Amino acid sequence: MISSLITSFVVGGLICVVGQILMDVFKLTPAHTLSTLVVSGSILDGFGLYEPLIDFAGAGATIPITSFGNSLTHGALAEAEKHGLIGVLTGMFEVTSSGISAAIIFGVIGAFIFQNSKTTY
Amino acid sequence: MKNAIYILLLCFLTACSNEVNEAIYPENDSSEIKQVLNNYDSVKGYSSVTDKNDVLVAIDIRRMSRFNKEKIEKKISKKLEEKFPDKEVLVTSDLKIRWEVEKIIEQSMQEDEMTKSIKKIKSLSKEET
Amino acid sequence: MEQKQFDKIVDQQTPKTPLFVNMLKAFLVGGIICTIGQLITFFYIRFFPFTERTAANPTVATMVFIAMILTGTGLYKKISQIGGAGSAVPVTGFGNAVISASIEHKPEGYVLGIGGNMFKLAGSVIVFGVVSAFFVALIKTILVKLGVVSW
Amino acid sequence: MVNTYGTIQFMAKPSIASTGVVVGPVEKESSFAEEFDEILPLENEKDETFERANTRFIEKACEVTIRKAHEQMENIDVFIGGDLINQLSPTNFAARQLSIPFLGVFSACASSMESVILGSLLLESGNARSVIAGASSHHPAVERQFRYPLEYGSQKPGTAQWTVTAAGYALLQKQAKNAPIITHATIGRVVDGGQTDPLHMGAAMAPAARDTIERHLTNTNSRMADYDVIMTGDLGKIGLSILKEMFQDEDSGVILQDAGAQFYGEKSFYNAGASGAGCSAAVFFSYVYNQLKNGVFNRVLLVATGALLSPLTFQQGETIPCIAHAIECRMEKRG
């Protein structure tokens, strides 16, 4: 268990370091950085490399935004395997909805609960 | 300072994988499973339960071999299927399933109860992400 | 004054980004967030009927929930100032982008404000995730049909 | 009124009769905090939008200004002001409340000096007797328009500046008693230094500041050493050092100062310092004005700098054009 925690720390941290390099060296905005990482996650899954990384690092690979691209691709590929080309379109959100739906729901709840009026910085 | 952190991390990574845990239940037909599993260096521990229809093996794969987790699972399950042609074999390294299997062993369940648990475990493992 | 000369002055006077320090901070903050995620995964595996694979979903949802609390209380932007990409890259950063935008646009009403602006920062992530997933999956499917690679 | 190559010389001695500076809660950390007329405890009141709060700051600053001069709102002929929000809505809305004939101006953070120049011209031409002029900015309102949502975590680089919450207004009257007079003004040209980073405004604005200062010095036939201080608006710490480097003048080291660089002192939280239309207005109309009145300064050049970008233009990859307006103030020796 402890080794799982350490690998997720190291792998998750390293993915974030890649993001920091994109931001600092290539001068990308946060939105550009995240989009780049999502695209690379989906490409890695195309080569079948991201799932082994999840097996290895657990949350270290599922928590960074790269896993979002991975699971979109994974859903599309799983569906394509069953139903052919049309599955590429239909399977996309089969696996990943939890991140998006959680963000939408907690976004609305957060807007209800919290006020944007704090002055302590 | 920073190098020290890395060295510490590496130590942790390697040091934590020494305890070996082998448990087979019920013990009477253990030899064959043992034979198969002991051939794999990447498997550092396992617990297994068997009833009249199923063979359930939960393996603990070494950290660095986890990249090939799926391949290892498939290989072992193929080998075991050869040994138990009349039973359904499930080999997995999933933590949840290992915990469930260990629970069966700890409580030394009776045949009926065990069959029920095994059914539950199998349906768990079939769930897609 | 010539442009070149001016660019040189700007270059001289602008402090360099402390790349190594920033990378180390991103590593630590990102690593800690992922470790917390791993602990939550263990929690779901232990006490709920989730396997390692299926526990990822409730873990992500829980992380977004934590991001909501931190965003609403104003802590997330403080973490981000230290962590940089370390707090932006994990799914909590995605949550922070969505939740901060929706809190921000509450005065403009629930439909046009919250509904319309919620994804103004995070939308591009979804768009590019879906588009790239489509093309990757399309290419791979075609390659499989052609017999170049297998699933 | 004489205009030589863009520098206006005022003959009718327009003067700053009184000033009013109202700032937000964060600004009590400012090194000028004691000079401000009023520090409000909240950025916005409950259920009040930030834009509405910005309007309230402007109204309050105008009231303070007029009260300090013992004037009546009805006697003011023109209200000139600007801010950073789209369509100048906060200032427009404040004008609705004040019901004084109104001119809205925009040159980003240089709006404060632009409105003072226009006000002085109205006095000079005899078309007004009392003009209230100034500018304001409101941190949360500006931040959400130009950058990210307030609670969004984005790492700010060391070159970033903090938009202040402040409204600074001044009452301009001809030959007011014991008040600094505005002798010259230089209207800025839009200068583009080819900078594209919206989080490094100092570098973008420095060429505009240099252009205006240099033209002012040439046109008035003076040297830097003739001034007690030449204060720029909101170049920030890095922008100021770039400006000093551009001048290579032995006097520039001490005489060139920057309101934004000094606003929050050395606190690293604010990175390169303060910015925003309210920054130059607040410092010029409190600290500099008081120093003039007390006779510490006799001749100052105030240069407000503004970056004329919008969130769209920098996303479209345009460079950031900038402008700087300057006024020269003198305190006549009391006789």
Side-chain angles (χ1 to χ4, degrees):
Chain A
M1 255 176 84
I2 294 168
S3 71
S4 294
L5 292 179
I6 291 164
T7 41
S8 60
F9 180 88
V10 173
V11 172
L14 286 177
I15 294 174
C16 294
V17 169
V18 173
Q20 189 72 41
I21 291 171
L22 289 173
M23 272 156 90
D24 281 357
V25 179
F26 297 94
K27 302 282 173 210
L28 298 186
T29 65
H32 280 89
T33 310
L34 294 191
S35 301
T36 312
L37 285 173
V38 164
V39 172
S40 38
S42 105
I43 291 172
L44 280 177
D45 190 55
F47 289 107
L49 294 174
Y50 205 84
E51 290 291 316
L53 189 68
I54 295 179
D55 290 335
F56 175 65
T62 57
I63 295 292
I65 202 77
T66 37
S67 81
F68 194 71
N70 161 59
S71 47
L72 284 168
T73 312
H74 216 69
L77 283 174
E79 222 28 35
E81 204 172 344
K82 279 187 224 154
H83 304 299
L85 271 181
I86 194 72
V88 173
L89 270 180
T90 56
M92 201 103 46
F93 281 97
E94 211 125 282
V95 200
T96 47
S97 39
S98 78
I100 298 172
S101 52
I104 293 175
I105 288 159
F106 292 131
V108 174
I109 293 174
F112 274 107
I113 301 175
F114 296 110
Q115 290 283 338
N116 207 349
S117 60
K118 284 176 311 299
T119 44
T120 45
Y121 291 96
Chain B
M1 173 64 193
K2 276 140 205 163
N3 285 336
I5 293 173
Y6 286 124
I7 290 166
L8 254 174
L9 280 175
L10 272 177
C11 287
F12 268 120
L13 275 174
T14 46
C16 293
S17 45
N18 281 329
E19 38 170 330
V20 179
N21 195 357
E22 295 171 11
I24 292 170
Y25 180 86
E27 274 170 43
N28 41 8
D29 46 13
S30 61
S31 57
E32 279 163 318
I33 299 176
K34 218 179 217 172
Q35 241 176 21
V36 173
L37 287 173
N38 285 349
N39 283 336
Y40 292 92
D41 286 338
S42 49
V43 179
K44 70 173 184 198
Y46 50 83
S47 20
S48 150
V49 288
T50 330
D51 70 352
K52 56 182 186 299
N53 294 322
D54 294 284
V55 178
L56 218 65
V57 184
I59 51 176
D60 191 1
I61 300 179
R62 273 183 208 290
R63 183 55 49 184
M64 285 307 174
S65 308
R66 286 205 154 211
F67 285 110
N68 301 317
K69 185 180 113 170
E70 257 174 75
K71 274 183 204 156
I72 295 170
E73 284 171 1
K74 261 186 201 155
K75 257 191 221 162
I76 296 178
S77 96
K78 217 177 221 169
K79 280 267 159 68
L80 285 175
E81 266 163 19
E82 283 167 18
K83 303 251 172 183
F84 302 92
D86 52 338
K87 289 187 183 184
E88 241 179 79
V89 178
L90 175 66
V91 179
T92 173
S93 66
D94 194 276
L95 189 63
K96 176 73 180 174
I97 291 170
R98 201 166 78 226
W99 279 343
E100 291 292 322
V101 169
E102 275 165 8
K103 214 191 265 172
I104 293 180
I105 298 172
E106 257 171 48
Q107 294 171 358
S108 16
M109 284 185 189
Q110 293 306 306
E111 189 79 26
D112 307 350
E113 222 180 325
M114 191 163 85
T115 312
K116 225 185 263 171
S117 296
I118 289 176
K119 210 173 167 192
K120 210 176 80 190
I121 293 170
K122 275 169 75 183
S123 78
L124 255 183
S125 79
K126 277 201 191 95
E127 272 178 40
E128 291 279 317
T129 14
Chain C
M1 183 174 283
E2 277 182 36
Q3 185 67 37
K4 250 189 206 159
Q5 216 178 334
F6 173 63
D7 286 341
K8 205 177 144 200
I9 292 176
V10 171
D11 214 42
Q12 275 172 0
Q13 299 297 321
T14 307
K16 296 282 162 290
T17 336
L19 183 61
F20 186 77
V21 176
N22 275 1
M23 276 164 61
L24 188 76
K25 284 180 185 165
F27 179 75
L28 290 176
V29 171
I32 288 168
I33 292 175
C34 291
T35 312
I36 293 169
Q38 185 66 43
L39 284 172
I40 294 171
T41 309
F42 280 143
F43 170 78
Y44 278 112
I45 294 175
R46 190 82 190 82
F47 298 105
F48 293 89
F50 287 113
T51 59
E52 269 177 41
R53 270 300 148 78
T54 51
N57 281 339
T59 304
V60 164
T62 312
M63 292 304 279
V64 174
F65 175 76
I66 294 172
M68 175 185 88
I69 303 290
L70 292 178
T71 305
T73 49
L75 280 172
Y76 205 86
K77 64 175 177 230
K78 287 181 188 166
I79 298 172
S80 296
Q81 184 57 35
I82 303 166
S87 63
V89 171
V91 74
T92 45
F94 177 78
N96 171 247
V98 173
I99 292 155
S100 66
S102 68
I103 293 176
E104 180 92 359
H105 287 280
K106 195 177 171 184
E108 282 84 56
Y110 290 115
V111 175
L112 295 176
I114 298 177
N117 289 297
M118 189 181 255
F119 282 103
K120 72 171 185 179
L121 288 170
S124 63
V125 171
I126 297 176
V127 170
F128 281 96
V130 168
V131 170
S132 66
F134 174 76
F135 283 110
V136 168
L138 188 71
I139 291 167
K140 189 155 185 189
T141 311
I142 291 171
L143 287 180
V144 170
K145 294 259 145 101
L146 293 174
V148 184
V149 291
S150 62
W151 287 115
Chain D
M1 184 179 72
V2 183
N3 185 332
T4 37
Y5 308 109
T7 295
I8 301 159
Q9 188 181 358
F10 297 109
M11 298 304 190
K13 295 190 179 173
S15 60
I16 304 174
S18 74
T19 57
V21 175
V22 176
V23 299
V26 180
E27 284 64 33
K28 66 171 174 282
E29 291 192 35
S30 168
S31 24
F32 302 115
E34 285 176 8
E35 314 267 347
F36 301 143
D37 294 303
E38 210 163 325
I39 298 175
L40 298 183
L42 288 173
E43 216 111 48
N44 64 332
E45 271 155 19
K46 205 174 185 306
D47 297 328
E48 186 186 40
T49 65
F50 294 132
E51 290 74 15
R52 175 75 206 125
N54 194 347
T55 306
R56 192 162 49 82
F57 273 80
I58 298 168
E59 289 166 9
K60 198 134 209 172
C62 290
E63 276 163 26
V64 170
T65 311
I66 290 165
R67 193 180 65 221
K68 274 166 72 184
H70 307 291
E71 272 286 350
Q72 296 299 313
M73 202 65 93
E74 304 85 68
N75 297 340
I76 312 297
D77 298 315
V78 187
F79 166 44
I80 308 174
D83 58 68
L84 300 175
I85 307 301
N86 288 338
Q87 286 83 38
L88 293 182
S89 46
T91 311
N92 291 339
F93 283 32
R96 172 178 72 183
Q97 190 67 29
L98 297 173
S99 72
I100 305 170
F102 168 63
L103 289 171
V105 297
F106 181 83
S107 40
C109 307
S111 302
S112 56
M113 287 304 105
E114 184 182 358
S115 51
V116 169
I117 293 172
L118 286 175
S120 307
L121 285 170
L122 281 173
L123 294 178
E124 177 83 7
S125 63
N127 286 309
R129 283 158 295 138
S130 300
V131 176
I132 188 157
S136 72
S137 58
H138 192 271
H139 177 84
V142 172
E143 203 69 11
R144 66 181 289 197
Q145 181 185 310
F146 279 93
R147 301 202 178 100
Y148 296 112
L150 275 185
E151 296 302 336
Y152 180 63
S154 71
Q155 198 175 30
K156 292 200 180 95
T159 53
Q161 286 168 261
W162 180 273
T163 308
V164 300
T165 302
Y169 277 83
L171 182 68
L172 308 178
Q173 282 175 334
K174 251 189 241 179
Q175 300 180 8
K177 266 183 205 152
N178 187 26
I181 52 171
I182 300 161
T183 59
H184 296 82
T186 299
I187 297 174
R189 299 194 286 204
V190 176
V191 177
D192 195 326
Q195 299 295 305
T196 50
D197 187 354
L199 289 173
H200 194 356
M201 291 299 203
M205 294 193 291
R210 176 179 183 269
D211 180 71
T212 301
I213 294 171
E214 201 168 54
R215 280 191 307 130
H216 189 91
L217 294 178
T218 321
N219 294 341
T220 56
N221 207 1
S222 38
R223 293 176 304 118
M224 269 197 190
D226 298 338
Y227 292 88
D228 291 311
V229 64
I230 296 177
M231 199 169 230
T232 50
D234 51 358
L235 295 177
K237 287 165 195 156
I238 299 159
L240 180 63
S241 58
I242 291 171
L243 183 67
K244 282 180 179 170
E245 200 65 26
M246 285 170 93
F247 268 110
Q248 298 282 1
D249 190 313
E250 54 186 30
D251 299 318
S252 70
V254 208
I255 290 165
L256 273 179
Q257 291 184 16
D258 185 72
Q262 293 177 29
F263 200 89
Y264 290 114
E266 290 303 312
K267 296 186 183 72
S268 65
F269 175 79
Y270 302 97
N271 294 313
S275 73
C279 170
S280 54
V283 176
F284 293 172
F285 295 153
S286 62
Y287 167 72
V288 179
Y289 178 76
N290 293 341
Q291 298 294 70
L292 280 166
K293 269 194 111 165
N294 298 338
V296 182
F297 294 158
N298 283 315
R299 187 181 178 190
V300 297
L301 183 62
L302 304 177
V303 190
T305 48
L308 305 170
L309 84 169
S310 87
L312 293 183
T313 57
F314 87 80
Q315 282 171 11
Q316 290 164 351
E318 299 263 0
T319 52
I320 304 171
C322 294
I323 194 163
H325 297 300
I327 62 166
E328 184 178 329
C329 286
R330 283 189 211 188
M331 193 66 195
E332 289 199 326
K333 292 269 167 354
R334 262 165 274 187

